[in-house]
Amino acid sequence: MKSFSYVAVSDVEDAVRAIAAEPNAKFLGGGTNLVDLMRENVERPDVLVDITRLPLNGIEELPDSGIRIGALVRNSELAAHPVIRTRYPMLSQAILHGASAQLRNMATVGGNLMQRTRCLYFYDSASPCNKREQGSGCTAIGGFTRGHAILGASEHCIATHPSDMAVALVALDAVVEVRSEHGTRRIPLADFHRLPGSTPHIETELAPDELITAVEVPGVPVAAMSRYRKVRDRASYAFALVSVAAAMEVRDGRVSAVRLALGGVAPKPWRAHEAEEALLGAPATEESFGRAADAALASAVGQGDNDFKIDLARRTLVATLRRLLTEGSAA
Amino acid sequence: MTETLPRAGAGDPVVGRPIDRVDGPAKTTGAAVYSAEVAYPDLAYATLVPATISRGRITSIDTAAATAVRGVITVLTHENAPELKPPQPFNPFNFATFAAGTQVNYLKTDEIFWDGQPVALVVAETLEAAHEAAALVRVAYEERPSAVDFAAEEGNAQPQKANMVLPSGAKKGDAEAAFAASPVKVDLRFTTPPHNHNAIEPHATTAVWDGNRLTVHDSTQSIDWLRTHLALRFDVQPANVRVVSTYVGGGFGGKSVVWAGTILTALAARAIDRPVRMMLTREAVYHTVGARGAATQRVALGAGEDGRLTSLIHTTVARTSRVGGLPETLTSPSRHLYATPTMLLQQHLVEMDLIPPSPMRTPSEGIGSFALESAIDELAYQVGMDPIRFRMLNEPATNPVDGKAFSRRWLPEAYALGAEQFGWSERTPEPGSMRDGRWLVGMGVATAFHPAQQMAANVTVRLSVDGSVVVRCAFQEIGVGAATVQAQIAADALGVPFENVRVEYGDSDLPSSAAAIGSVQTATVANSLLEGCEKLKKRLRSLARRHGTTGQSHGETLARAGLPSLEVAIGSDTRVGKVTGQVKFFTRFLREQRRWMKAAYGAHFCEVRIDQDTGEVRVARWTGVFDFGRVINTKTATSQLRGGIIAGIGMALGEETLVDPRNGRIMNPSLAEYHLPVQADIPQIEVMCLDEPDPTMPLGLTGIGEVGPTGVAAAIANAVHHATGKRIRDLPLTLDKLL
């Protein structure tokens, strides 16, 4: 790990001033990913601005029956919150399927959104990687791609976004509130993470001088009937091969509202709009679920090792909708 | 090292009881001092810089930026490293030569033989400075074409050379002809990936020179080999090297031979004339500690319509390196497990530009049993017979490969007991016939097997007038309860309470012992300890006769004789004593080897559940019944067997080292990406021991260290077949193979 300076700030103004003043500074939240990457010499900041003392750790209910989550709320606290558990079960479940209890106790909501891919080649500083060094090439292509994208990848980068929490949030139309010296702006989570295209080193819309202050989730009635399903290579403490966040309401045998998103398959938490469109108004049957899954994966492309994920994603999406119908939200 | 033992019930024999481990309190309270925790003033910290090519030569190495980091003391490379003698070539008759993990003389060559080979060593005032500087060492290479893709190299394999310790093949009758003529047959190919060591304590060394005397605190399975090896490499007398290894946080074979971490820590300490410590990073364990390479195996079995085997063919291809490596005997289970009139066993090796392979969690039988025990299950289905019945039908009366007598073999009894405990009769044989909601349910069995051996140990036993006993022997405590079981054995042998016995171990200043490898340690030490106790008792009896204390306590006898204590020694560590010991050992080894087939056996039963949509495999329950002779300590024995089963579950379902076939680089050197099982992957595991003594082994015990994982992967694969109808012959058994 490279030597760095450390400053701790106690209000948001100081935080954004500190980050703007230093070209190679990073915010330190829970540190569960950043410190790891610093040890691997992937992240090499000169300054760490510790934001854990900022007053951004509240969870407030909003008038539209939505919720505002401070950027520093710990993952475990959010997952356990009664409002999250009852109104957005898939969000609570998604968080609890991520990492380990110890990591969730440290990790923050803002940090969870900012975590970086676990691509094996991104983590290995001896392997060329367009994310680490623009234009150096992508070693993952033609390498071990079990964890890599089948949707939204480019010839420059095939990495996946690793978050579980963000998959549920993107299905809920969450909005990210960010702050800089120039003021506050709101970015829909669906637009917050970028597809790699030819610039995989730019991963989000967050400017270098901006701080995530909160995530707002609107009232989404259908989300009360939702589940998160994560498929991985062991029972716990592994990133998703495929995950599905699904919310569905059925009236008179037909789907009257639906939210679907996929994780582990794309460079960003992947909202499956095509699948939602295919399902809305359709009978809540295995056939409809299959058509929705086909729509979600119509443009999927495998890289070799991960070809199976196209089939797995389809099966998992169908199975999750089926279980939602038969078993409801119970985890 | 010294332990105070806890109280146990006085009077009764303690062998066979579930005695708590004597090192338990120290470990659970954090009082135990491991090799990387020994305090020294003026300690410096070291870290390795790994090569990033698989084959070639260093053309230049720039350490300027690294040296400039504040706190860096020195950066050692092949251009400036102090003298270091090359390792001795491997000689099966000289166990000390087993100690070299590789023939590479670290930092004394500019040649690169594997990706990850150390090319520099940074020594600094702090660990952080060492790590920061290590990232700044710039190395330029001239690369040469390398052989790193096992699938591509497999065809170049050559017959594996045999030696006395590691047979490589066997032939009995014309197995190919018998196979061709068999009415029922299977001919199968199995593949297994590379596996790496992941002991919870990474390899750690603290090294201190005092003139020409070296002390190393090292996390090792082989104190004596390490001492001999370091003496050779640093050109000092073995008597000038002291190895202390009080606690070892897991060995599994990874600490049985000597790797770069230990040698280069001692080299750094010599270079800067200060104590130096190095604990390998997890990544460095993958880079610098040999483990298991990829392998392919063919098992072809023929049987008559009645289900009796007519032919057993097992041929294997594994890899070694250009710079040494201890290959596995993958066909080992096939030599011993089934009665067959014809047999053909062949092993092949291909040299590759990867780190030399080295013992890893049941070498030989670990993956050898996966192939054989899967194939047996497939043949049982071909014959249309229950897999346990099929095994019992083909149970041999004598050792199949050579007709030797079994010293003891209660495998059928293990199956019978296991079937009852597990509820095997509830299984419906048709694949896919058992379900529970969305889960497909399958049950499988497989045989566990590991040969039993002993090596040689020297011990002293001292009885004091207060009735206390001190046993001294430089064996290794790798976390299995070694000191506890030897204290139990001594207590019973001398008829003293358990709490009166203290065992000193883990220090080369003590009488030397064999390495803790190959499941030999308990029997090895017990053999000498029992001999020592007998010798001591004989001396006591003669003293008692002389002083009229016959029938009184040992302490009374010593008091009457005016002796504060009485000590006996078995074996000697003088030069002559060592040679005599070696001759005595080989004589016994060869005699026993000719006479008996000795082994530990077991019957694994498991239930798996497979998600019908996603193919996720969950092991739902496990019963293992073992036949390993006398049980010394039911608590430590079942714990070790349970751990072995967990290791086997890891091998079956998750473990795979990803060696990039394009460049030989290990891409998942971390506990996040190398998938060992987590707690949630492990079901309730029931372990039962038959406790039938082996008449040819000391106290009737055989080793249990490695039998646990054998057969586990096959039992799971067989259960997966039962659940799904699919045969998976390629580990790990990941969900994509079941979609």
Side-chain angles (χ1 to χ4, degrees), chain A residues 12 17 46 132 136 166 205 218 224 227 312:
Chain A
V12 172
R17 207 175 299 122
D46 291 322
R132 267 190 284 104
S136 62
E205 291 296 328
R227 12 183 2 116
L312 180 65

Side-chain angles (χ1 to χ4, degrees), chain A residues 114-177:
Chain A
M114 293 305 292
Q115 67 179 308
R116 306 194 69 187
T117 183
R118 264 50 172 207
C119 170
L120 304 177
Y121 299 90
F122 171 72
Y123 254 76
D124 175 31
S125 51
S127 296
C129 169
N130 287 325
K131 261 191 197 305
R132 267 190 284 104
E133 195 179 337
Q134 193 187 5
S136 62
C138 172
T139 319
I141 296 171
F144 295 114
T145 58
R146 189 174 180 83
H148 289 76
I150 53 173
L151 291 164
S154 77
E155 58 182 323
H156 302 281
C157 182
I158 59 171
T160 45
H161 193 266
S163 174
D164 291 297
M165 182 191 81
V167 179
L169 284 176
V170 82
L172 294 168
D173 286 333
V175 174
V176 185
E177 184 188 272

Side-chain angles (χ1 to χ4, degrees), chain A residues 1-3 39-41 44 118 120-121 124-127 138-144 146 229-239 241 286 305 308-309 311-312 315-316 319 322-323 327, chain B residues 52 69 128 131-133 135-136 283 438 611-616 618 653-654 656-663 665-668 671-678 680-681 734-736 738-739:
Chain A
M1 190 190 290
K2 193 180 82 166
S3 293
R39 285 176 189 276
E40 300 289 337
N41 286 301
R44 298 175 61 79
R118 264 50 172 207
L120 304 177
Y121 299 90
D124 175 31
S125 51
S127 296
C138 172
T139 319
I141 296 171
F144 295 114
R146 189 174 180 83
R229 174 75 163 101
K230 180 174 180 179
V231 181
R232 47 184 154 176
D233 275 329
R234 59 184 167 191
S236 180
Y237 195 57
F239 292 95
L241 291 167
E286 190 85 5
D305 281 356
F308 74 94
K309 283 164 66 166
D311 185 27
L312 180 65
R315 287 159 167 265
T316 308
R322 190 198 305 135
R323 268 187 93 184
E327 295 174 38
Chain B
T52 55
V69 170
E128 291 75 14
H131 281 163
E132 180 176 0
L136 299 174
E283 189 176 1
R438 68 190 168 102
D611 186 292
Q612 61 178 9
D613 296 302
T614 61
E616 291 156 290
R618 298 283 181 263
L653 298 182
E656 177 175 16
T657 306
L658 300 175
V659 181
D660 197 314
R662 298 170 298 182
N663 54 17
R665 221 170 143 67
I666 294 176
M667 294 313 303
N668 60 339
L671 291 174
E673 301 294 343
Y674 181 96
H675 286 160
L676 293 162
V678 295
D681 290 301
T734 46
L735 60 87
D736 48 302
L738 292 169
L739 290 179

Side-chain angles (χ1 to χ4, degrees), chain A:
Chain A
M1 190 190 290
K2 193 180 82 166
S3 293
F4 58 89
S5 327
Y6 168 92
V7 291
V9 290
S10 53
D11 68 54
V12 172
E13 296 302 323
D14 286 346
V16 295
R17 207 175 299 122
I19 204 88
E22 186 56 58
N24 192 20
K26 287 264 178 193
F27 288 126
L28 176 70
T32 57
N33 188 212
L34 176 62
V35 175
D36 205 20
L37 289 167
M38 288 167 68
R39 285 176 189 276
E40 300 289 337
N41 286 301
V42 174
E43 295 276 13
R44 298 175 61 79
D46 291 322
V47 179
L48 284 188
V49 180
D50 183 344
I51 54 171
T52 54
R53 290 166 216 184
L54 300 185
L56 300 175
N57 45 14
I59 300 177
E60 300 159 42
E61 292 190 56
L62 298 174
D64 72 341
S65 70
I67 201 156
R68 178 182 166 89
I69 306 157
L72 291 172
V73 170
R74 306 286 172 172
N75 285 188
S76 46
E77 191 190 344
L78 183 60
H81 196 278
V83 170
I84 302 296
R85 290 171 51 151
T86 51
R87 286 187 209 162
Y88 313 102
M90 67 179 175
L91 177 56
S92 178
Q93 291 171 19
I95 294 168
L96 293 175
H97 277 85
S100 65
Q102 294 90 334
L103 289 167
R104 294 192 297 267
N105 286 340
M106 290 299 291
T108 64
V109 166
N112 188 314
L113 297 180
M114 293 305 292
Q115 67 179 308
R116 306 194 69 187
T117 183
R118 264 50 172 207
C119 170
L120 304 177
Y121 299 90
F122 171 72
Y123 254 76
D124 175 31
S125 51
S127 296
C129 169
N130 287 325
K131 261 191 197 305
R132 267 190 284 104
E133 195 179 337
Q134 193 187 5
S136 62
C138 172
T139 319
I141 296 171
F144 295 114
T145 58
R146 189 174 180 83
H148 289 76
I150 53 173
L151 291 164
S154 77
E155 58 182 323
H156 302 281
C157 182
I158 59 171
T160 45
H161 193 266
S163 174
D164 291 297
M165 182 191 81
V167 179
L169 284 176
V170 82
L172 294 168
D173 286 333
V175 174
V176 185
E177 184 188 272
V178 306
R179 179 86 165 271
S180 72
E181 286 185 298
H182 313 294
T184 298
R185 61 184 187 123
R186 294 163 57 81
I187 310 168
L189 181 61
D191 303 328
F192 184 80
H193 297 97
R194 295 164 52 120
L195 290 180
S198 58
T199 56
H201 60 296
I202 307 171
E203 295 174 350
T204 68
E205 291 296 328
L206 191 76
D209 63 346
E210 283 178 319
L211 170 71
I212 301 176
T213 48
V215 174
E216 286 188 6
V217 187
V220 182
V222 67
M225 183 61 82
S226 66
R227 12 183 2 116
Y228 186 77
R229 174 75 163 101
K230 180 174 180 179
V231 181
R232 47 184 154 176
D233 275 329
R234 59 184 167 191
S236 180
Y237 195 57
F239 292 95
L241 291 167
V242 163
S243 68
V244 173
M248 179 170 67
E249 181 188 73
V250 178
R251 281 199 188 146
D252 303 328
R254 291 193 175 265
V255 176
S256 51
V258 63
R259 296 294 179 90
L260 293 171
L262 299 173
V265 293
K268 59 189 281 183
W270 193 260
R271 180 75 176 267
H273 287 294
E274 298 85 349
E276 290 176 5
E277 281 159 26
L279 208 49
L280 197 62
T285 60
E286 190 85 5
E287 292 67 38
S288 303
F289 301 160
R291 271 195 296 276
D294 289 342
L297 295 157
S299 63
V301 182
Q303 297 288 337
D305 281 356
N306 69 351
D307 290 350
F308 74 94
K309 283 164 66 166
I310 301 173
D311 185 27
L312 180 65
R314 186 186 189 284
R315 287 159 167 265
T316 308
L317 213 162
V318 171
T320 308
L321 290 168
R322 190 198 305 135
R323 268 187 93 184
L324 196 51
L325 199 60
T326 55
E327 295 174 38
S329 315

Side-chain angles (χ1 to χ4, degrees), chain B residues 369-632:
Chain B
S369 66
F370 166 63
L372 177 66
E373 286 298 291
S374 297
I376 287 287
D377 198 78
E378 292 206 39
L379 187 62
Y381 266 86
Q382 291 285 320
V383 172
M385 197 180 278
D386 174 85
I388 299 177
R389 223 185 112 217
F390 181 81
R391 284 178 172 82
M392 296 307 99
L393 182 69
N394 288 289
E395 178 70 6
T398 57
N399 194 36
V401 72
D402 52 21
K404 277 191 298 195
F406 292 119
S407 66
R408 177 205 92 263
R409 178 160 161 139
W410 301 99
L411 185 58
E413 287 74 8
Y415 269 108
L417 179 59
E420 193 188 318
Q421 288 294 318
F422 182 79
W424 183 252
S425 60
E426 288 155 33
R427 175 185 187 262
T428 55
E430 190 61 30
S433 62
M434 299 181 78
R435 295 187 68 125
D436 179 8
R438 68 190 168 102
W439 298 99
L440 308 173
V441 177
M443 298 182 186
V445 293
T447 296
F449 161 82
H450 192 266
Q453 305 281 7
Q454 310 170 46
M455 289 160 74
N458 296 339
V459 302
T460 63
V461 187
R462 187 175 72 222
L463 176 79
S464 294
V465 70
D466 64 0
S468 66
V469 173
V470 178
V471 175
R472 302 173 84 236
C473 177
F475 65 79
Q476 297 80 193
E477 175 59 272
I478 58 174
V480 298
T484 311
V485 298
Q486 298 302 338
Q488 288 176 265
I489 291 169
D492 280 10
L494 293 173
V496 303
F498 176 71
E499 62 267 27
N500 281 21
V501 183
R502 201 177 77 214
V503 178
E504 295 180 6
Y505 63 91
D507 187 334
S508 63
D509 277 358
L510 299 168
S512 67
S513 172
I517 55 161
S519 307
V520 304
Q521 180 165 272
T522 305
T524 296
V525 178
N527 193 52
S528 299
L529 177 57
L530 289 168
E531 200 183 330
C533 291
E534 283 312 309
K535 195 169 165 184
L536 186 67
K537 283 195 290 186
K538 202 172 156 194
R539 301 256 311 262
L540 282 165
R541 279 195 298 271
S542 109
L543 277 176
R545 276 195 302 276
R546 204 180 317 153
H547 297 283
T549 57
T550 303
Q552 295 181 33
S553 75
H554 300 327
E556 290 287 333
T557 301
L558 290 184
R560 193 71 64 81
L563 295 171
S565 67
L566 186 61
E567 180 171 285
V568 297
I570 299 299
S572 147
D573 284 305
T574 62
R575 193 177 291 253
V576 174
K578 280 216 151 184
V579 173
T580 312
Q582 196 122 330
V583 170
K584 189 175 153 195
F585 163 72
F586 274 111
T587 310
R588 190 182 68 198
F589 177 82
L590 291 172
R591 188 183 64 223
E592 292 281 303
Q593 194 83 332
R594 272 197 296 273
R595 224 174 136 188
W596 302 110
M597 173 57 209
K598 308 179 187 188
Y601 302 93
H604 287 297
F605 292 76
C606 73
E607 178 183 313
V608 301
R609 290 172 170 242
I610 294 151
D611 186 292
Q612 61 178 9
D613 296 302
T614 61
E616 291 156 290
V617 180
R618 298 283 181 263
V619 180
R621 61 195 181 98
W622 202 282
T623 299
V625 183
F626 295 91
D627 163 32
F628 54 84
R630 174 85 72 92
V631 184
I632 305 301

